[in-house]
Amino acid sequence: MGDKFLTLSEFNLEGNFLGFAGKKPRKIKYLSLAVPSGDVLVKLPKKLRGCLSSSLEIGEPINIYGTCKLNRYTGTIKLKAYQVIPFTSNPDQSLPSPPPAKIMVCQKSGCVKRGGDGLLSELEKTLCDRGLLDKVTIEHTGCQKRCSSAPNCVLMLGKKKYKKIHPEAIASLLENYLTGDHPCHAED
């Protein structure tokens, strides 16, 4: 049984903060935003709910960055934020940094025996040569349950996963991701 939501794209909404909403009183789950086409509800992840409830004021202009998903069964679209920032008219302000990048390298004995250590050192060297080592988190993991394709490494760029790719390809994808030249950052 697959996921009932299909990720369509990422979004950047600009509008005025109208308030918070939730099914229970004092239980923040959504942010209401006034945009030129009407009012929009955007789901907030738990990590943003607490800090936003005390920092936003009604009517304040804000930018919301997030993902747009389609419910395969009902045909409804759900917006979920990953970053909310007060809007400033300063033209020098750059776009927010994308969600963190992470590389997970299996360090269980099967992967290590089949080149996991070499993969890890080649990956670190390639990223260091390109000046990307400090822009990504390299995580040593347990078994990734893909032993037949060992050594295993997964690159996570935001919510996208890349498996079975060479360190040079990882570095190129990472560079594109950090500069905004990838499909995740395409704006409509």
Side-chain angles (χ1 to χ4, degrees), residues 48-63:
L48 288 180
R49 294 175 191 172
C51 63
L52 290 177
S53 66
S54 61
S55 66
L56 291 179
E57 292 185 28
I58 304 251
E60 180 177 4
I62 57 173
N63 281 346

Side-chain angles (χ1 to χ4, degrees), residues 32-102:
S32 183
L33 184 72
V35 294
S37 58
D39 296 348
V40 180
L41 276 182
V42 180
K43 187 171 183 183
L44 294 172
K46 289 180 181 176
K47 65 180 182 181
L48 288 180
R49 294 175 191 172
C51 63
L52 290 177
S53 66
S54 61
S55 66
L56 291 179
E57 292 185 28
I58 304 251
E60 180 177 4
I62 57 173
N63 281 346
I64 300 178
Y65 299 87
T67 54
C68 178
K69 294 186 176 192
L70 172 71
N71 184 319
R72 296 175 195 239
Y73 306 115
T74 64
T76 57
I77 291 179
K78 177 172 108 176
L79 302 176
K80 185 171 183 181
Y82 60 73
Q83 186 171 25
V84 177
I85 55 173
F87 179 73
T88 62
S89 57
N90 182 356
D92 295 336
Q93 182 178 356
S94 61
L95 287 174
S97 59
K102 177 166 61 171

